[in-house]
């Protein structure tokens, strides 16, 4: 007997998918097996898998189910902001996608957030309903609407969990949200009280910690309550703003001892550095590169990948964090195909404001955002593996402790 075999996301298998480019197509990519056996974690009702989608800003997306009856939204995962929002009663939403649109009139468990709610930060201006408006780092990228509460459908290995969460009914989106990033909503994972991880911990459903795994194949995982494993590397948070850490040394073949702080931000596609660190790291990489330079926007340091190139000699890149913890960058470059040519680029963009370790440099790791211990932790990990981890369920402390431009916000007015 012979059998024809195909990878489950090969072109042959994808013939049975919804039309490529449609919302249902991307949703099918994100719906994978849960893979939480034996780990006692809390995750979304459709599983904990995530998918990096290059045509949607190189961000990681997952599927969440909201409301009663439950409606599915494919949302981008963003540790750089706090608010979870979805398109809702749209005055201006992404026009090019067949999107799920939240309808407050349909969900029987929906509640509007009133002005006297502690999570309402904006003036109500003559209405009892709390408005919100959040602007993001990407140029002219924002969302605005009103705050609401509804049931989010979650699960452990053993049981279904329904948690009331506060979210943004996004009536008007602008900038990257209209085309290449998060057209169906954004899942803020920051430390403010309004974020879903904060709500889950405050309700005692799970420990105030979560992890995200970033596979080399673009497949990932997100799990609430995951505090990692005893052999992981760790560094403390600076806490200004979300998930800010200190890098004490950079190694690009040689060691650069200049210290700087940076955000670990899954909502930014690539890594950003301000000068002088950007120039120091880039020039060090360039001095060791063996191939002909071929500048490409938005990356300044790109090199020819022709058949006679020495791409196998790409310089390595690693970071040393406070507490002397080491973080090796598994994929320091990005390969770009243009006009029949291949080039590889140092995947760092010059920034005028913030140092950001983007999700491209988290590839190959399970990254733990432990908000109880106030540490960032990481370990090299295959996102398909199963491992016993330090978790807490039900006994948590009740006190709540774009293209390359990314979509993270660090001035959340919600």
């Amino acid at each position: 007997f012979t059998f024809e075999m195909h990878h489950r996301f090969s072109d042959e298998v994808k013939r049975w998918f919804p039309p490529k480019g449609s919302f249902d197509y991307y949703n099918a990519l994100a719906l994978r097996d849960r893979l939480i056996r034996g780990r006692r974690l809390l995750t979304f009702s459709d599983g904990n898998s995530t998918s990096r989608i290059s045509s949607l800003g190189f961000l990681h997306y997952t599927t969440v189910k909201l409301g009663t009856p439950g409606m599915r939204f494919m949302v981008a995962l963003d540790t750089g902001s706090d608010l979870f929002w979805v398109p809702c009663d749209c005055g201006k939403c992404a026009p090019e996608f067949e999107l799920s649109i939240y309808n407050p009139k349909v969900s029987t468990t929906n509640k509007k957030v009133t002005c006297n709610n502690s999570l309402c930060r904006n003036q109500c201006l003559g209405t009892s309903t709390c408005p919100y408006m959040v602007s993001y780092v990407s140029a002219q990228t924002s969302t605005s609407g009103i705050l609401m509460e509804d049931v989010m459908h979650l699960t452990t290995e053993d049981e279904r969990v329904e948690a009331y969460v506060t979210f943004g009914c996004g009536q008007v989106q602008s900038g990257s949200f209209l085309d290449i990033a998060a057209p169906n909503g954004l899942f803020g994972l920051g430390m403010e009280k309004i974020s879903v991880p904060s709500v889950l911990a405050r309700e005692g459903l799970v420990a105030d910690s979560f992890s995200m795994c970033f596979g080399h194949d673009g497949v990932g995982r997100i799990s609430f309550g995951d505090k990692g494993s005893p052999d992981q590397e760790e560094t403390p948070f600076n806490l200004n703003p979300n998930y800010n850490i200190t890098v004490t040394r950079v190694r690009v073949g040689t060691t650069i001892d200049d210290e700087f702080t940076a955000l670990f931000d899954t909502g930014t596609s690539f890594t950003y550095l301000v000068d002088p660190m950007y120039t120091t790291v880039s020039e060090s990489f360039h001095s060791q590169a063996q191939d002909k330079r071929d500048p490409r926007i938005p990356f300044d340091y790109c090199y020819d990948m022709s058949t006679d190139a020495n791409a196998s000699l790409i310089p390595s890149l690693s970071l040393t964090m406070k507490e002397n913890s080491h973080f090796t960058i598994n994929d320091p470059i990005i390969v770009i195909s243009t006009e029949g040519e291949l080039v590889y680029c140092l995947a760092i963009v010059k920034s005028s404001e913030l140092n950001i370790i983007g999700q491209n440099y988290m590839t190959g790791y399970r990254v733990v955002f432990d908000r109880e211990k106030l540490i960032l932790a990481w370990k090299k990990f295959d996102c398909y593996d199963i491992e016993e981890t330090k978790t807490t369920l039900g006994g948590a402390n009740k006190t709540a402790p774009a293209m390359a431009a990314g979509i993270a916000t660090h001035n959340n007015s919600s």
Side-chain angles (χ1 to χ4, degrees), residues 77 106 110 115 123 143 170 177 180 213 228 230 286 288 303 310 313 323 342 347 351 362 372 381 386 404 411:
L77 298 166
V106 171
N110 169 270
C115 294
Q123 292 183 340
T143 175
F177 294 147
I180 62 168
C213 187
H286 177 62
Q288 298 170 66
Y303 303 88
N310 297 310
L313 302 177
E323 307 276 318
L342 284 178
S351 171
M362 302 181 204
E372 288 180 340
F381 202 69
I386 301 171
N411 184 25

Side-chain angles (χ1 to χ4, degrees), residues 8 16 19 34 143-144 160-161 180 206 211 235 237 241 249 261 299 339-340 348 352 356 361 366 370 380 392 409:
R8 57 180 166 171
W16 307 104
R34 288 195 185 90
T143 175
S144 61
R160 296 282 176 171
V161 176
I180 62 168
V206 72
S211 71
T235 194
F237 286 132
R249 290 190 299 276
T261 61
F299 303 104
E339 298 177 354
I348 299 177
S352 60
I356 300 173
Y361 277 6
R366 182 181 65 217
D370 192 327
K380 287 191 176 183
T392 303
T409 176

Side-chain angles (χ1 to χ4, degrees), residues 80-101:
S81 65
D82 301 292
L83 184 68
F84 164 43
W85 65 265
V86 296
C88 163
D89 282 350
C90 285
K92 189 175 183 182
C93 295
E96 301 299 324
F97 298 88
E98 298 178 10
L99 301 174
S100 301
I101 306 294

Side-chain angles (χ1 to χ4, degrees), residues 19 75 94 109 111 118 133 146 154 157 198 206 208 234 239 248 250 265 288 293 304 315 326 329:
V75 295
T109 47
K111 301 175 185 176
S118 62
M133 200 284 287
I146 60 174
L154 303 160
E157 182 183 2
S198 297
V206 72
D208 197 5
E234 298 179 351
L239 291 182
T248 57
V250 180
D265 185 3
Q288 298 170 66
R293 187 174 174 186
D304 178 39
H326 298 283
I329 307 301

Side-chain angles (χ1 to χ4, degrees), residues 147-214:
L147 293 183
M148 292 189 169
E149 293 180 355
D150 210 337
V151 169
M152 175 175 286
H153 301 267
L154 303 160
T155 187
T156 69
E157 182 183 2
D158 304 317
E159 62 180 341
R160 296 282 176 171
V161 176
E162 293 185 347
Y164 266 95
V165 299
T166 300
F167 68 99
C169 168
Q171 297 165 333
V172 178
Q173 275 65 255
S174 66
S176 297
F177 294 147
L178 295 178
D179 45 35
I180 62 168
N184 202 214
L186 185 71
F187 200 88
L189 291 160
M191 289 194 179
E192 291 292 324
K193 291 196 298 182
I194 201 169
S195 75
V196 172
S198 297
V199 172
L200 299 180
R202 195 160 58 243
E203 294 299 317
L205 295 171
V206 72
D208 197 5
S209 181
F210 67 91
S211 71
M212 292 183 67
C213 187
F214 301 90

Side-chain angles (χ1 to χ4, degrees), residues 361-375:
Y361 277 6
M362 302 181 204
T363 299
Y365 288 100
R366 182 181 65 217
V367 182
V368 177
F369 298 83
D370 192 327
R371 300 136 56 94
E372 288 180 340
K373 293 175 63 178
L374 299 180
I375 60 168

Side-chain angles (χ1 to χ4, degrees), residues 97-158:
F97 298 88
E98 298 178 10
L99 301 174
S100 301
I101 306 294
Y102 181 88
N103 187 344
K105 297 178 181 179
V106 171
S107 177
T108 59
T109 47
N110 169 270
K111 301 175 185 176
K112 292 182 179 179
V113 174
T114 59
C115 294
N116 59 5
N117 190 301
S118 62
L119 297 178
C120 184
R121 301 286 184 86
N122 291 353
Q123 292 183 340
C124 290
L125 300 177
T127 177
S128 61
T129 304
C130 180
Y132 81 88
M133 200 284 287
V134 184
S135 296
Y136 297 78
V137 169
S138 293
Q140 288 85 50
T141 296
S142 67
T143 175
S144 61
I146 60 174
L147 293 183
M148 292 189 169
E149 293 180 355
D150 210 337
V151 169
M152 175 175 286
H153 301 267
L154 303 160
T155 187
T156 69
E157 182 183 2
D158 304 317

